[in-house]
Amino acid sequence: QNNPTEVVVNIDPADVATPYICQIQTKAFIDAFGFNDDAALISNDMSTFEYEAQSQGQTILNYLQNISHTGKAFDVKLSKLTPDTEYIVYCYHIDLSNGGVASSSVYRQALRTAKPETIDASFEMTFSINGAQIEQTITPSDENIYYYFDYMSVDDFYSYYGTVDMATKFVSKWNENVAIKNNQGYYASQIIEQYGKQGTQTFTYSELKAETEYVFYVFAINADTAFAASDITMERVTTQSAAESGMTITIEVKNIFMTTADIYWTASDPNGKFARSVLSK
């Protein structure tokens, strides 16, 4: 059985007398850390189990006895997963009479968790560009839905993620963050309160780079789970050359001692922003 955040499996081992461990990890995690190798995967598991046993005040043997199975296992629940994500469910036998040493190779089963329930929602984004500053207005098709929005430099995206599909990555990244917060004890309502928006909203971005292409995106989020719940809307926008501010800055240095000095920067525009630094000659 499979839903967006939970998998229920039945296990029928050929060796019904020897205990075994059943775990789940994302395929991305398995691939990234070289855990397609059985020995490396088991070694990582054992290090994790030792840490968890210690944090719970148990011996590693007691801990393994509590999490292992023997014989056929029905309705083994693997929960707190990320929706629409490739996972590997894997099992291997352990020898509890020998301190829990793994005594077999790893059996693996690939699966993909289900997509969250979607809603019928669309978004319109409009932009006003003034030099390196962008003003964005988001208008949802339904004023009552919650949505999440963000932006990223196009160059930064490809530097971080390579040539993956932007829409897929932005949605999966959000769902992963929600799953992490769920595991940390946050409720969906808390996540939505912190990150979700409703109705028509206007946002001003003043910390952008000049003459740089950005991708802005928005999608609906489920009011009950906080997971992404609609198609993503994306727009690419390029900032212009930085506008001349006309602001002047005076610098005054006082109380110079061996290793310290008081330095005062005074801008002609009290609301203006400027960069400052001190360097050796």
Side-chain angles (χ1 to χ4, degrees):
Q1 298 178 13
N2 182 4
N3 69 30
T5 59
E6 184 178 280
V7 174
V8 178
V9 296
N10 295 328
I11 307 168
D12 188 3
D15 180 353
V16 296
T18 304
Y20 57 91
I21 296 291
C22 180
Q23 294 285 99
I24 189 168
Q25 290 284 5
T26 63
K27 184 177 182 300
F29 177 84
I30 296 287
D31 293 343
F33 291 96
F35 293 150
N36 290 298
D37 176 77
D38 288 356
L41 178 59
I42 292 171
S43 176
N44 179 73
D45 274 2
M46 291 303 166
S47 296
T48 302
F49 296 153
E50 287 179 7
Y51 172 80
E52 292 175 347
Q54 188 177 33
S55 66
Q56 296 179 21
Q58 299 183 40
T59 65
I60 182 62
L61 189 58
N62 284 340
Y63 185 82
L64 290 174
Q65 288 173 333
N66 289 333
I67 67 170
S68 62
H69 305 273
T70 303
K72 294 183 179 181
F74 298 98
D75 297 334
V76 177
K77 189 176 296 184
L78 306 169
S79 57
K80 296 184 178 180
L81 307 180
T82 303
D84 195 22
T85 300
E86 288 184 281
Y87 279 91
I88 304 294
V89 178
Y90 59 92
C91 301
Y92 53 87
H93 286 289
I94 56 173
D95 185 353
L96 292 176
S97 66
N98 191 24
V101 176
S103 58
S104 75
S105 57
V106 179
Y107 175 82
R108 305 166 190 251
Q109 177 66 53
L111 60 87
R112 189 177 195 94
T113 48
K115 292 184 178 181
E117 183 180 350
T118 59
I119 59 178
D120 185 15
S122 60
F123 300 88
E124 179 185 358
M125 289 191 290
T126 58
F127 300 90
S128 175
I129 306 170
N130 180 20
Q133 179 176 290
I134 291 178
E135 183 179 272
Q136 173 196 32
T137 299
I138 301 175
T139 304
S141 58
D142 183 342
E143 295 285 312
N144 295 313
I145 63 171
Y146 292 99
Y147 59 87
Y148 174 76
F149 72 98
D150 204 352
Y151 71 93
M152 190 173 189
S153 158
V154 172
D155 286 344
D156 285 349
F157 178 89
Y158 289 121
S159 295
Y160 292 142
Y161 302 117
T163 56
V164 300
D165 179 67
M166 275 189 175
T168 301
K169 187 61 186 179
F170 287 141
V171 171
S172 65
K173 180 183 173 184
W174 168 255
N175 286 338
E176 288 166 9
N177 289 337
V178 171
I180 290 171
K181 287 190 173 296
N182 286 339
N183 290 336
Q184 293 173 340
Y186 287 85
Y187 295 107
S189 58
Q190 294 173 304
I191 299 171
I192 292 172
E193 182 179 3
Q194 183 173 358
Y195 298 102
K197 299 293 183 183
Q198 276 184 307
T200 299
Q201 301 268 1
T202 298
F203 309 96
T204 300
Y205 307 93
S206 302
E207 309 297 332
L208 307 179
K209 298 177 184 177
E211 299 177 330
T212 301
E213 185 180 26
Y214 291 88
V215 57
F216 292 79
Y217 61 92
V218 58
F219 50 79
I221 52 180
N222 187 290
D224 296 320
T225 65
F227 288 116
S230 75
D231 292 335
I232 186 171
T233 298
M234 297 192 305
E235 295 283 349
R236 291 194 182 194
V237 183
T238 302
T239 53
Q240 301 166 343
S241 300
E244 291 289 340
S245 69
M247 181 175 68
T248 58
I249 305 164
T250 59
I251 305 173
E252 186 178 9
V253 184
K254 295 181 179 181
N255 303 323
I256 303 174
F257 297 101
M258 290 180 62
T259 58
T260 63
D262 295 330
I263 307 176
Y264 301 88
W265 289 267
T266 304
S268 59
D269 178 0
N271 297 315
K273 294 184 179 180
F274 57 91
R276 64 184 184 182
S277 186
V278 177
L279 302 172
S280 65
K281 184 175 180 181

Tab-separated table of all heavy atoms in Angstrom, residues 25-45 88 90 106 108:
chain	number	residue	atom	x	y	z
A	25	GLN	N	14.997	4.346	2.426
A	25	GLN	CA	15.759	5.565	2.172
A	25	GLN	C	15.403	6.057	0.767
A	25	GLN	O	15.002	5.270	-0.093
A	25	GLN	CB	17.276	5.303	2.239
A	25	GLN	CG	17.822	5.009	3.609
A	25	GLN	CD	17.945	6.247	4.475
A	25	GLN	OE1	17.536	7.344	4.082
A	25	GLN	NE2	18.512	6.077	5.666
A	26	THR	N	15.570	7.349	0.531
A	26	THR	CA	15.337	7.850	-0.822
A	26	THR	C	16.415	7.300	-1.750
A	26	THR	O	17.562	7.068	-1.342
A	26	THR	CB	15.378	9.382	-0.876
A	26	THR	OG1	16.688	9.841	-0.518
A	26	THR	CG2	14.345	9.988	0.074
A	27	LYS	N	16.045	7.116	-3.000
A	27	LYS	CA	17.013	6.652	-3.993
A	27	LYS	C	18.140	7.670	-4.148
A	27	LYS	O	19.308	7.304	-4.341
A	27	LYS	CB	16.322	6.422	-5.332
A	27	LYS	CG	17.235	5.839	-6.405
A	27	LYS	CD	16.480	5.577	-7.688
A	27	LYS	CE	17.378	4.941	-8.742
A	27	LYS	NZ	18.539	5.786	-9.096
A	28	ALA	N	17.798	8.952	-4.047
A	28	ALA	CA	18.819	9.996	-4.161
A	28	ALA	C	19.864	9.854	-3.064
A	28	ALA	O	21.063	10.042	-3.292
A	28	ALA	CB	18.166	11.370	-4.107
A	29	PHE	N	19.421	9.535	-1.848
A	29	PHE	CA	20.341	9.341	-0.720
A	29	PHE	C	21.232	8.126	-0.965
A	29	PHE	O	22.448	8.180	-0.761
A	29	PHE	CB	19.534	9.161	0.566
A	29	PHE	CG	20.362	8.891	1.789
A	29	PHE	CD1	20.932	9.931	2.501
A	29	PHE	CD2	20.561	7.590	2.239
A	29	PHE	CE1	21.701	9.691	3.645
A	29	PHE	CE2	21.324	7.335	3.375
A	29	PHE	CZ	21.894	8.385	4.072
A	30	ILE	N	20.624	7.035	-1.407
A	30	ILE	CA	21.380	5.805	-1.691
A	30	ILE	C	22.451	6.074	-2.741
A	30	ILE	O	23.618	5.683	-2.587
A	30	ILE	CB	20.433	4.691	-2.169
A	30	ILE	CG1	19.431	4.300	-1.072
A	30	ILE	CG2	21.223	3.472	-2.651
A	30	ILE	CD1	19.992	3.527	0.066
A	31	ASP	N	22.077	6.754	-3.812
A	31	ASP	CA	23.017	7.014	-4.911
A	31	ASP	C	24.110	7.986	-4.489
A	31	ASP	O	25.285	7.803	-4.834
A	31	ASP	CB	22.267	7.573	-6.128
A	31	ASP	CG	21.325	6.552	-6.759
A	31	ASP	OD1	21.490	5.348	-6.479
A	31	ASP	OD2	20.431	6.970	-7.526
A	32	ALA	N	23.725	9.035	-3.741
A	32	ALA	CA	24.677	10.100	-3.404
A	32	ALA	C	25.812	9.594	-2.516
A	32	ALA	O	26.960	10.054	-2.646
A	32	ALA	CB	23.952	11.252	-2.732
A	33	PHE	N	25.523	8.654	-1.617
A	33	PHE	CA	26.534	8.220	-0.652
A	33	PHE	C	27.114	6.836	-0.972
A	33	PHE	O	27.800	6.247	-0.130
A	33	PHE	CB	25.945	8.231	0.758
A	33	PHE	CG	25.663	9.615	1.268
A	33	PHE	CD1	24.395	10.166	1.154
A	33	PHE	CD2	26.670	10.383	1.820
A	33	PHE	CE1	24.134	11.456	1.610
A	33	PHE	CE2	26.419	11.668	2.283
A	33	PHE	CZ	25.152	12.204	2.172
A	34	GLY	N	26.844	6.341	-2.166
A	34	GLY	CA	27.444	5.071	-2.566
A	34	GLY	C	26.879	3.868	-1.844
A	34	GLY	O	27.570	2.850	-1.684
A	35	PHE	N	25.607	3.978	-1.401
A	35	PHE	CA	25.020	2.888	-0.642
A	35	PHE	C	24.360	1.822	-1.524
A	35	PHE	O	23.606	0.987	-1.023
A	35	PHE	CB	24.017	3.429	0.380
A	35	PHE	CG	24.662	4.240	1.472
A	35	PHE	CD1	23.980	5.275	2.086
A	35	PHE	CD2	25.956	3.962	1.877
A	35	PHE	CE1	24.580	6.021	3.093
A	35	PHE	CE2	26.567	4.704	2.883
A	35	PHE	CZ	25.875	5.740	3.485
A	36	ASN	N	24.661	1.862	-2.823
A	36	ASN	CA	24.291	0.727	-3.655
A	36	ASN	C	25.174	-0.475	-3.313
A	36	ASN	O	24.854	-1.608	-3.668
A	36	ASN	CB	24.426	1.093	-5.140
A	36	ASN	CG	23.363	2.099	-5.562
A	36	ASN	OD1	22.174	1.822	-5.495
A	36	ASN	ND2	23.790	3.282	-5.982
A	37	ASP	N	26.277	-0.206	-2.646
A	37	ASP	CA	27.139	-1.259	-2.119
A	37	ASP	C	26.557	-1.759	-0.797
A	37	ASP	O	26.336	-0.967	0.128
A	37	ASP	CB	28.549	-0.711	-1.903
A	37	ASP	CG	29.469	-1.729	-1.269
A	37	ASP	OD1	29.925	-2.635	-1.971
A	37	ASP	OD2	29.713	-1.621	-0.034
A	38	ASP	N	26.298	-3.057	-0.693
A	38	ASP	CA	25.627	-3.617	0.488
A	38	ASP	C	26.393	-3.340	1.775
A	38	ASP	O	25.809	-2.942	2.796
A	38	ASP	CB	25.433	-5.124	0.324
A	38	ASP	CG	24.367	-5.469	-0.704
A	38	ASP	OD1	23.738	-4.529	-1.231
A	38	ASP	OD2	24.170	-6.669	-0.981
A	39	ALA	N	27.708	-3.541	1.746
A	39	ALA	CA	28.509	-3.367	2.961
A	39	ALA	C	28.457	-1.922	3.455
A	39	ALA	O	28.361	-1.659	4.662
A	39	ALA	CB	29.952	-3.800	2.705
A	40	ALA	N	28.502	-0.972	2.523
A	40	ALA	CA	28.465	0.441	2.906
A	40	ALA	C	27.109	0.809	3.492
A	40	ALA	O	27.031	1.560	4.475
A	40	ALA	CB	28.763	1.312	1.682
A	41	LEU	N	26.035	0.279	2.912
A	41	LEU	CA	24.693	0.567	3.415
A	41	LEU	C	24.508	0.006	4.822
A	41	LEU	O	24.003	0.691	5.729
A	41	LEU	CB	23.646	-0.010	2.467
A	41	LEU	CG	22.182	0.175	2.874
A	41	LEU	CD1	21.841	1.651	3.008
A	41	LEU	CD2	21.249	-0.498	1.869
A	42	ILE	N	24.910	-1.238	5.033
A	42	ILE	CA	24.755	-1.869	6.343
A	42	ILE	C	25.608	-1.148	7.383
A	42	ILE	O	25.167	-0.914	8.518
A	42	ILE	CB	25.130	-3.363	6.262
A	42	ILE	CG1	24.097	-4.119	5.408
A	42	ILE	CG2	25.210	-3.981	7.663
A	42	ILE	CD1	24.484	-5.551	5.098
A	43	SER	N	26.827	-0.765	7.016
A	43	SER	CA	27.700	-0.049	7.947
A	43	SER	C	27.081	1.274	8.371
A	43	SER	O	27.118	1.633	9.559
A	43	SER	CB	29.063	0.203	7.286
A	43	SER	OG	29.892	0.977	8.121
A	44	ASN	N	26.478	1.985	7.429
A	44	ASN	CA	25.815	3.250	7.765
A	44	ASN	C	24.626	3.004	8.702
A	44	ASN	O	24.412	3.761	9.657
A	44	ASN	CB	25.347	3.944	6.493
A	44	ASN	CG	24.639	5.251	6.775
A	44	ASN	OD1	25.237	6.239	7.138
A	44	ASN	ND2	23.320	5.250	6.607
A	45	ASP	N	23.845	1.967	8.405
A	45	ASP	CA	22.708	1.631	9.273
A	45	ASP	C	23.173	1.354	10.696
A	45	ASP	O	22.589	1.849	11.674
A	45	ASP	CB	21.981	0.401	8.732
A	45	ASP	CG	20.938	0.750	7.683
A	45	ASP	OD1	20.821	1.945	7.359
A	45	ASP	OD2	20.262	-0.157	7.193
A	88	ILE	N	13.902	3.434	-1.829
A	88	ILE	CA	14.335	2.037	-1.828
A	88	ILE	C	13.972	1.443	-0.469
A	88	ILE	O	14.446	1.912	0.576
A	88	ILE	CB	15.857	1.900	-2.051
A	88	ILE	CG1	16.299	2.585	-3.347
A	88	ILE	CG2	16.260	0.424	-2.046
A	88	ILE	CD1	15.753	1.946	-4.604
A	90	TYR	N	14.513	-1.756	1.818
A	90	TYR	CA	15.523	-2.819	1.790
A	90	TYR	C	15.512	-3.609	3.102
A	90	TYR	O	15.132	-3.098	4.156
A	90	TYR	CB	16.915	-2.248	1.509
A	90	TYR	CG	17.413	-1.229	2.512
A	90	TYR	CD1	18.171	-1.620	3.622
A	90	TYR	CD2	17.145	0.135	2.351
A	90	TYR	CE1	18.634	-0.690	4.531
A	90	TYR	CE2	17.609	1.064	3.259
A	90	TYR	CZ	18.350	0.652	4.352
A	90	TYR	OH	18.813	1.581	5.261
A	106	VAL	N	21.854	-7.525	0.967
A	106	VAL	CA	20.677	-6.661	1.103
A	106	VAL	C	19.704	-6.931	-0.041
A	106	VAL	O	20.089	-6.942	-1.211
A	106	VAL	CB	21.096	-5.179	1.095
A	106	VAL	CG1	19.880	-4.271	1.213
A	106	VAL	CG2	22.076	-4.891	2.235
A	108	ARG	N	16.556	-5.394	-2.031
A	108	ARG	CA	16.049	-4.034	-2.260
A	108	ARG	C	14.807	-4.063	-3.149
A	108	ARG	O	14.719	-4.866	-4.079
A	108	ARG	CB	17.120	-3.161	-2.937
A	108	ARG	CG	18.438	-3.112	-2.166
A	108	ARG	CD	19.550	-2.527	-3.026
A	108	ARG	NE	20.858	-2.688	-2.396
A	108	ARG	CZ	21.586	-1.701	-1.870
A	108	ARG	NH1	21.128	-0.459	-1.930
A	108	ARG	NH2	22.760	-1.943	-1.326
